Amino acid sequence: AVGMLALSIGVILLATERLREELEYLATHDVMTGTLNRRAFIETAERELERCRRHGHVMSLLMIDVDHFKNVNDTYGHLVGDRVLKDFASRVISLLRLPDQFGRYGGEEFVLLLPETGREAAAIVADRICKATADAKAPACTVSIGLATTTLIDTSIGTLLSRADEALYRAKSGGRNQVAMAPLL
C-alpha cells in the first residue's frame, strides 16, 4: 500500500512539473510561431543589455517587418497569412546562433537580438534574413529591417528598440525589402 501511495505521489509530481513547464512555455512564447512573445523578449533583452554593458561588449537588435502582410491576408486569407508567419519564423530560426533571441513583437513585426554582434556582422545576418524570406514559396514575401547596435546612449532596451524602429521606418519608406541602419551616436 505504501509503495502504491509513493508511486501515485510520484506520478502526480511528475505531471505537475510537466504542466508547470508547459504553462511557463505558453507564458513566454508566441503560440503560432514558437518565438518569444513581446514581454519575454524584452525581459531577455534587458538582461542581455546589462550583461553586454557590464563586460564592455556590443549587441545589435533587428526590428523586422513582413512587407505588405495585410495584402497576403486580404488576398489569400488568414490561414495562409498564418502559414507565411510560421514559415518566416522557421527560416529565421534556422539562421541563428544559440545565444541569439528571436521574438514576435506584434502582428507581422519581429525582433532579433544578436548578443556580442557588431553592426557589420548584424548587417550580414539581416541580409541573410532578406534572402531566406525571398526564397519562400508562394505567396512571395519580402521584409524590411531596421538595425541598431548598442551605443553609450542605450541605457535601456527601450532606447535600442526605438532606434531600430526608426531605422525600420526608413527601410519601409525607402521602398521596403531592405535593411536600414540606425546612426551610431
Side-chain angles (χ1 to χ4, degrees):
V2 173
M4 287 300 286
L5 180 60
L7 181 62
S8 297
I9 290 172
V11 168
I12 290 170
L13 290 174
L14 196 60
T16 302
E17 178 61 21
R18 181 178 163 105
L19 181 60
R20 186 197 61 75
E21 289 173 0
E22 188 172 329
L23 289 174
E24 186 176 311
Y25 180 86
L26 291 172
T28 58
H29 288 77
D30 176 63
V31 176
M32 183 190 342
T33 63
T35 62
L36 291 173
N37 64 28
R38 183 178 182 147
R39 181 184 53 79
F41 177 85
I42 290 172
E43 288 174 3
T44 301
E46 285 286 2
R47 284 192 305 271
E48 187 60 36
L49 177 61
E50 180 56 36
R51 190 187 70 74
C52 283
R53 288 175 50 190
R54 185 174 51 249
H55 296 291
H57 299 154
V58 297
M59 68 180 197
S60 293
L61 187 138
L62 306 180
M63 179 87 55
I64 308 165
D65 185 75
V66 178
D67 293 330
H68 305 293
F69 184 72
K70 184 180 181 325
N71 292 343
V72 172
N73 278 338
D74 291 348
T75 304
Y76 301 100
H78 290 277
L79 291 177
V80 172
D82 290 351
R83 192 178 73 227
V84 166
L85 293 179
K86 289 178 200 174
D87 180 65
F88 168 73
S90 176
R91 286 173 183 274
V92 172
I93 289 168
S94 73
L95 300 173
L96 302 181
R97 307 167 302 171
L98 193 55
D100 299 337
Q101 299 294 318
F102 184 49
R104 188 170 179 196
Y105 202 64
E108 71 278 4
E109 205 165 65
F110 292 82
V111 283
L112 174 58
L113 184 70
L114 302 167
E116 299 187 29
T117 306
R119 185 176 167 109
E120 293 78 20
I124 292 168
V125 172
D127 287 337
R128 286 182 186 148
I129 291 170
C130 288
K131 287 181 177 95
T133 305
D135 291 342
K137 295 181 179 35
C141 290
T142 60
V143 292
S144 297
I145 300 176
L147 185 161
T149 301
T150 51
T151 64
L152 294 176
I153 68 160
D154 296 310
T155 56
S156 74
I157 203 62
T159 309
L160 190 61
L161 280 164
S162 178
R163 293 191 316 105
D165 196 40
E166 289 173 17
L168 172 63
Y169 277 96
R170 278 199 319 282
K172 290 165 76 169
S173 66
R176 300 182 192 263
N177 191 24
Q178 60 183 290
V179 179
M181 295 188 200
L184 290 173
L185 304 173

